[in-house]
């Protein structure tokens, strides 16, 4: 996922590298940009779940849930593991977990 941008001797980030990092951040944020995906991510805060469990939790069809999970997986936000006939999804990396924790705390966590 994200790798720290290199700084020159004055501590200033190279503009080309900054642009690359900004584009990477935009792609990451685009992957989060639907309410269904945010609900899926909040549902993964307590640990891994199957597509069936997630579909029930967010009130979506399994095919739509799988589509959203695939987009999140391609972005590195979630990871998947197969266990016999089930695929389990979980939050994929530290950056994703940190951001989802903030979103969960601010928007999903029950009062």
């Amino acid at each position: 996922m994200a790798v720290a941008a290199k700084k020159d001797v004055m501590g200033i980030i190279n503009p080309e590298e900054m642009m690359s990092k900004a584009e990477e951040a935009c792609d990451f944020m685009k992957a989060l940009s639907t309410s269904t995906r945010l609900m899926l991510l909040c549902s993964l805060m307590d640990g891994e779940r199957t597509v069936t469990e997630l579909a029930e939790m967010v009130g979506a069809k399994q095919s739509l849930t799988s589509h959203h999970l695939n987009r999140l997986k391609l972005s590195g936000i979630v990871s998947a593991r197969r266990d016999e006939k089930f695929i389990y999804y979980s939050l994929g990396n530290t950056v994703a977990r940190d951001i989802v924790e903030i979103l969960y705390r601010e928007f999903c966590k029950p009062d």
Side-chain angles (χ1 to χ4, degrees), residues 14-81:
N14 173 312
E16 291 85 23
E17 193 164 348
M18 185 183 284
M19 178 58 79
S20 174
K21 293 297 176 186
E23 289 171 356
E24 184 180 338
C26 286
D27 289 343
F28 181 88
M29 297 305 287
K30 284 177 190 175
L32 301 178
S33 67
T34 73
S35 57
T36 300
R37 290 181 194 152
L38 290 172
M39 290 173 60
L40 289 169
L41 293 171
C42 285
S43 298
L44 291 171
M45 284 300 300
D46 294 329
E48 65 181 13
R49 300 187 188 279
T50 65
V51 174
T52 303
E53 292 171 324
L54 290 166
E56 289 175 9
M57 293 175 87
V58 302
K61 293 182 179 181
Q62 282 190 4
S63 60
L64 180 63
T65 302
S66 291
H67 168 77
H68 285 296
L69 288 167
N70 188 52
R71 174 65 171 93
L72 292 167
K73 183 179 165 190
L74 290 172
S75 298
I77 297 170
V78 300
S79 58
R81 72 171 181 87

